[in-house]
Amino acid sequence: MTSDELARLMELPVDELRRRARIPFRLLPDRDSLISDFAHSLLDQIRTHGQRGEPARFILPVGPVAQYRQVVEISNRERLSWKHVHTFNMDEFLDWQGRPIPVTHPLSFEGFMRREVFGRLDQDLRPPESQQCFPNPFRIDEIGAKIQAVGGIDCCYGGIGYHGHVAFNEPPLSRWARISVDQLRNSLTRVVALGDDSIVVQSIHSSGGNSAAIPPMAVTLGMKDILASRKIKLYCAAGERHRAVFRISVAGEVSVDFPSTLVQGHPDAEVVTDQATALPIQGGL
């Protein structure tokens, strides 16, 4: 997009943005409503698949995370079994040598899921450990093969990063090579170096702005497995810093500069945001 086209997109009233959107979006009053929507969407699918006697297969993020407290509390209260649930984590931080950080590390996504989700579900409700899957940089194709083995993904849940990353599919910017939209669309699980902007944003909400505390690499599911999901639900409600990427994601041109735009054209995708994030943008001091 040209700078003028981008500026016009930022200024569109919400009703006009909805008419132009290439991904349907739904507005909720505030972030708390969004978190509750995420929790109940996941719970409804677990419940429905269980009642049908079918497996429930999800790609899940760590970020946002607040929804999981509701998910666990309601599951335990309602005695909602996860025995039929297969989870596939989107990504995981790696250290500077491309090795996984310990699950005991405060920023470990696997550690969070094992401790705060599976570990807090009542023992008789938990999914078998073999159905809790995490990407591993030393067995790079394993998670994709497991997705195929269980019949694909029923729903991919996720957030949208500052520069449009879904999982850690960041803009593949290089002075030496240019990755095409089709290449990114067909990307597989891989190891990536995190962009400076991702590290800064992660540090703001995870380490008090200490960017040195953020692991510099990650292993991520590729866009191919994400886009192959039968349903995609992306949640976007970080207020000011998400207002531009929300608009670009739903109505901007498809581009590797904002990988979230690759979700456009998916037959069953939705972005959920809050009213503050959806407001038009007018620059100024």
Side-chain angles (χ1 to χ4, degrees):
M1 302 180 72
T2 67
S3 57
D4 287 344
E5 290 170 336
L6 185 60
R8 286 194 293 271
L9 176 61
M10 297 299 110
E11 295 172 355
L12 286 178
V14 172
D15 288 345
E16 178 64 20
L17 181 67
R18 192 184 299 280
R19 284 192 290 271
R20 297 193 188 187
R22 300 166 184 172
I23 307 175
F25 65 85
R26 184 158 48 92
L27 294 184
L28 297 176
D30 50 36
R31 188 175 184 277
D32 287 344
S33 301
L34 181 142
I35 292 300
S36 182
D37 185 272
F38 191 148
H40 285 281
S41 173
L42 180 57
L43 287 162
D44 287 347
Q45 292 211 54
I46 293 172
R47 192 179 295 113
T48 299
H49 282 265
Q51 290 168 350
R52 294 174 179 168
E54 300 172 348
R57 299 147 293 199
F58 306 117
I59 293 174
L60 295 177
V62 176
V65 298
Q67 70 279 357
Y68 291 122
R69 183 175 297 178
Q70 290 187 43
V71 166
V72 168
E73 189 275 326
I74 294 171
S75 294
N76 287 337
R77 186 177 71 234
E78 295 186 0
R79 312 304 302 156
L80 181 60
S81 175
W82 288 47
K83 297 296 184 184
H84 62 298
V85 174
H86 299 255
T87 65
F88 299 87
N89 260 50
M90 280 187 153
D91 44 22
E92 179 59 282
F93 280 123
L94 307 177
D95 68 17
W96 70 276
Q97 298 187 92
R99 286 165 168 76
I101 61 176
V103 294
T104 55
H105 191 291
L107 297 182
S108 168
F109 298 161
E110 180 176 350
F112 174 88
M113 293 297 291
R114 293 195 183 282
R115 183 178 62 252
E116 302 298 331
V117 182
F118 307 128
R120 292 186 181 277
L121 286 169
D122 290 346
Q123 180 72 46
D124 59 331
L125 303 178
R126 296 174 191 171
E129 191 163 332
S130 62
Q131 294 171 200
Q132 306 166 23
C133 302
F134 303 89
N136 186 305
F138 303 125
R139 300 189 300 276
I140 203 73
D141 291 322
E142 180 181 74
I143 193 166
K146 287 185 176 180
I147 288 173
Q148 294 301 311
V150 300
I153 298 297
D154 296 301
C155 188
C156 172
Y157 289 92
I160 300 177
Y162 165 76
H163 219 143
H165 67 252
V166 179
F168 270 129
N169 289 284
E170 299 205 323
L173 302 179
S174 167
R175 71 178 66 184
W176 309 117
R178 188 70 174 171
I179 302 301
S180 71
V181 167
D182 283 343
Q183 285 175 309
L184 185 58
R185 184 176 280 124
N186 288 290
S187 58
L188 304 175
T189 302
R190 64 198 185 281
V191 171
V192 296
L194 300 185
D196 291 345
D197 52 0
S198 283
I199 291 174
V200 169
V201 171
Q202 289 282 343
S203 76
I204 289 170
H205 66 77
S206 298
S207 62
N210 177 16
S211 297
I214 305 301
M217 300 183 73
V219 57
T220 183
L221 288 181
M223 291 302 296
K224 184 173 184 177
D225 282 325
I226 289 169
L227 294 174
S229 303
R230 287 178 276 278
K231 182 188 294 288
I232 299 175
K233 292 180 74 70
L234 300 179
Y235 288 82
C236 184
E240 286 290 333
R241 73 173 173 86
H242 259 162
R243 285 166 69 184
V245 76
F246 161 67
R247 288 172 168 257
I248 292 168
S249 297
V250 300
E253 294 181 3
V254 176
S255 166
V256 298
D257 295 335
F258 289 89
S260 52
T261 59
L262 273 67
V263 177
Q264 295 177 15
H266 188 279
D268 191 356
E270 179 185 52
V271 174
V272 185
T273 192
D274 64 351
Q275 293 178 352
T277 304
L279 288 173
I281 300 170
Q282 295 181 337
L285 299 177

